[in-house]
């Protein structure tokens, strides 16, 4: 009886060792596949870089000479097949990646509807008021970013700023819309995305004064530093909306680059400066665009546009050392602006 029990224990021990060896072998194969996919970039026979992975035959071969470089590769993908998104959602056993755009960072466990109806779990699953407010704020970030055609990186960074402000208790006493609008503008400034406060105000439900006030308060209390906006970033979008040529766009960019120091010294608004450069470039190139159209696209007034246009025109003549009479063929408005 004792010998039989010892024999069974011996068999179980050998079986456990064998399983460990199989797991180690499988792990080794996975590591080798990763190494081969990363290191094998050319054929050892002909030196070609056309390496093809054949999942049907589990082989790695050269497309030029046909040499089989590796075989019996292990498929690291799922063992199931899905022909549409609905089938994949039912068969997948892993959740989405962690994101800051969801109030629980996308790490919650989905609860069946049948359990939600039970009285016992209803009080546990129900969110409190702070979580509901947080979820609403993140939804507003997504709504406004989609209305402004902003990428997911902007949404993610704005959500991170809102979480930091909530930890520092800076969101109390302020409207969610004005907080989200100001944070979205801060993120656009940090990423260099050309969006003005007026454009954000159009998709927000708050006035411009409140958004600007919240923006300045967040910069001070959260100690966020943003670089001055480069007017060159606005020129391609404005020219595209106005339907101008590539030559006009390049002229406007060159003009802005020549007067960067003057713009920084005088503190001009970047959108109005870009609009003035575009108007000056259209005057020099002979394209006819109304001042009101450029001012409407840039979100500024025609008077501000004309003032910036005159100063740019004067600076253009000083740097080029030319006479106003040489620009008479460029249009009456250009000559009158200098005189």
């Amino acid at each position: 009886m004792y010998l039989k029990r010892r024999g069974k224990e011996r068999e179980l021990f050998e079986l456990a060792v064998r399983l460990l060896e199989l797991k180690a072998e499988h792990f080794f194969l996975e590591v080798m596949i990763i190494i081969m996919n990363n290191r094998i970039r050319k054929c050892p026979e002909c030196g070609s870089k056309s390496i093809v992975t054949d999942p049907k035959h589990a082989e790695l071969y050269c497309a030029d000479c046909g040499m089989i470089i590796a075989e019996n590769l292990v498929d690291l993908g799922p063992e199931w097949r899905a022909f549409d998104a609905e089938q994949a959602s039912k068969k997948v056993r892993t959740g989405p990646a962690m994101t800051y755009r969801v109030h629980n960072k996308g790490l919650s466990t989905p609860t069946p509807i049948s359990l939600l109806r039970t009285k016992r779990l209803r009080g546990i699953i129900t969110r409190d008021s702070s979580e509901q407010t947080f979820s609403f704020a993140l939804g507003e970030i997504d709504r406004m970013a989609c209305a402004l055609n902003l990428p997911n990186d902007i949404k993610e960074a704005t959500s991170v700023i809102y979480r930091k402000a909530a930890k520092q208790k800076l969101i109390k006493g302020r409207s969610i819309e004005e907080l989200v609008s100001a944070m979205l503008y801060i993120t656009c400034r940090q990423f260099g995305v050309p969006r003005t406060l007026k454009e954000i105000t159009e998709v927000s439900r708050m006035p411009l004064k409140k958004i600007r006030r919240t923006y300045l308060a967040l910069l001070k209390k959260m100690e966020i530093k943003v670089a001055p906006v480069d007017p060159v970033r606005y020129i391609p979008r404005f020219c595209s909306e106005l339907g101008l040529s590539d030559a006009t766009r390049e002229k406007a960019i060159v003009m802005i680059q020549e007067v960067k120091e003057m713009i920084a010294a005088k503190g001009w608004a970047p959108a109005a400066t870009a609009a003035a450069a575009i108007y000056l470039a259209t005057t020099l190139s002979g394209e006819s665009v109304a001042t009101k159209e450029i001012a409407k696209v840039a979100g500024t007034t025609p008077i501000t546009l004309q003032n910036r246009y005159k100063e740019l025109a004067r600076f253009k003549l000083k740097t080029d050392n030319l006479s106003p009479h040489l620009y008479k063929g460029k249009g009456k408005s250009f000559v009158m602006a200098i005189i």
Side-chain angles (χ1 to χ4, degrees):
M1 188 73 180
Y2 176 76
L3 294 175
K4 288 183 179 179
R5 189 173 62 183
R6 289 294 300 273
K8 288 182 179 179
E9 290 177 357
R10 181 74 177 179
E11 291 177 0
L12 291 173
F13 177 76
E14 292 177 355
L15 182 61
V17 171
R18 181 58 181 164
L19 288 174
L20 290 174
E21 291 176 353
L22 289 174
K23 287 184 178 180
E25 184 180 356
H26 181 68
F27 176 77
F28 177 74
L29 286 174
E30 290 183 355
V31 172
M32 288 301 296
I33 291 169
I34 295 172
I35 292 173
M36 282 191 295
N37 289 336
N38 290 333
R39 290 188 178 180
I40 298 178
R41 298 300 181 186
K42 63 180 181 179
C43 177
E45 183 70 20
C46 64
S48 175
K49 294 184 179 181
S50 301
I51 308 299
V52 181
T53 303
D54 186 3
K56 185 177 180 180
H57 298 91
E59 293 176 349
L60 193 70
Y61 67 91
C62 176
D64 294 338
C65 66
M67 178 184 178
I68 298 176
I69 303 171
E71 56 184 351
N72 297 327
L73 299 177
V74 180
D75 187 7
L76 302 179
E79 77 282 0
W80 45 265
R81 293 190 303 170
F83 300 98
D84 54 12
E86 185 178 358
Q87 291 183 4
S89 63
K90 292 180 180 178
K91 293 182 179 181
V92 70
R93 295 187 293 273
T94 56
M98 188 187 73
T99 175
Y100 290 99
R101 290 183 290 160
V102 186
H103 72 283
N104 53 15
K105 298 182 182 179
L107 301 177
S108 63
T109 303
T111 307
I113 301 176
S114 58
L115 292 178
L116 287 172
R117 295 174 182 174
T118 60
K119 295 182 179 179
R120 183 178 178 183
L121 294 176
R122 192 176 299 168
I124 301 174
I125 298 171
T126 304
R127 295 179 296 176
D128 56 2
S129 60
S130 61
E131 288 186 357
Q132 290 179 358
T133 304
F134 194 53
S135 179
F136 175 73
L138 297 178
E140 282 294 301
I141 292 174
D142 190 72
R143 179 188 68 82
M144 294 176 61
C146 291
L148 293 169
N149 296 322
L150 297 175
N152 292 330
D153 295 341
I154 302 293
K155 302 177 186 177
E156 199 81 18
T158 308
S159 303
V160 172
I161 293 176
Y162 188 88
R163 289 176 185 272
K164 290 181 179 179
K167 286 184 179 179
Q168 297 178 14
K169 298 181 180 180
L170 299 176
I171 62 175
K172 291 184 179 180
R174 291 186 175 90
S175 174
I176 293 178
E177 287 84 356
E178 66 183 65
L179 279 168
V180 168
S181 303
M183 292 175 183
L184 202 61
Y185 182 65
I186 291 173
T187 310
C188 290
R189 291 281 300 271
Q190 289 177 338
F191 280 73
V193 179
R195 292 293 184 275
T196 61
L197 267 177
K198 289 185 179 180
E199 291 176 331
I200 294 177
T201 307
E202 291 177 358
V203 298
S204 178
R205 303 186 184 96
M206 301 303 296
L208 179 62
K209 291 183 179 179
K210 289 188 176 182
I211 296 175
R212 184 183 287 112
R213 182 184 61 191
T214 307
Y215 162 71
L216 296 175
L218 289 174
L219 289 181
K220 183 179 180 180
K221 293 183 178 180
M222 297 185 70
E223 296 181 355
I224 299 174
K225 296 181 180 179
V226 291
V229 181
D230 190 0
V232 174
R233 296 184 179 274
Y234 291 96
I235 291 176
R237 183 161 62 93
F238 291 168
C239 289
S240 177
E241 293 181 8
L242 292 169
L244 301 176
S245 62
D246 296 340
T248 303
R249 182 190 63 193
E250 294 299 325
K251 282 183 180 180
I253 291 174
V254 170
M255 289 178 191
I256 293 294
Q257 291 175 349
E258 290 176 352
V259 297
K260 271 188 177 181
E261 295 181 358
M262 184 181 69
I263 294 170
K266 294 190 175 183
W268 290 352
T273 307
I278 291 172
Y279 186 46
L280 181 57
T282 54
T283 306
L284 293 174
S285 60
E287 295 188 45
S288 59
V289 183
T291 311
K292 292 183 179 180
E293 294 182 8
I294 300 177
K296 184 179 180 181
V297 170
T300 185
T301 60
I303 298 174
T304 304
L305 176 59
Q306 287 287 349
N307 293 333
R308 299 292 174 269
Y309 164 75
K310 291 177 182 179
E311 296 190 29
L312 281 177
R314 293 193 186 105
F315 187 82
K316 179 71 176 173
L317 284 178
K318 289 179 182 178
T319 54
D320 293 348
N321 295 322
L322 297 176
S323 172
H325 301 286
L326 298 177
Y327 285 89
K328 287 183 178 179
K330 302 298 182 182
K332 183 179 179 181
S333 59
F334 183 81
V335 179
M336 291 298 295
I338 302 167
I339 299 173

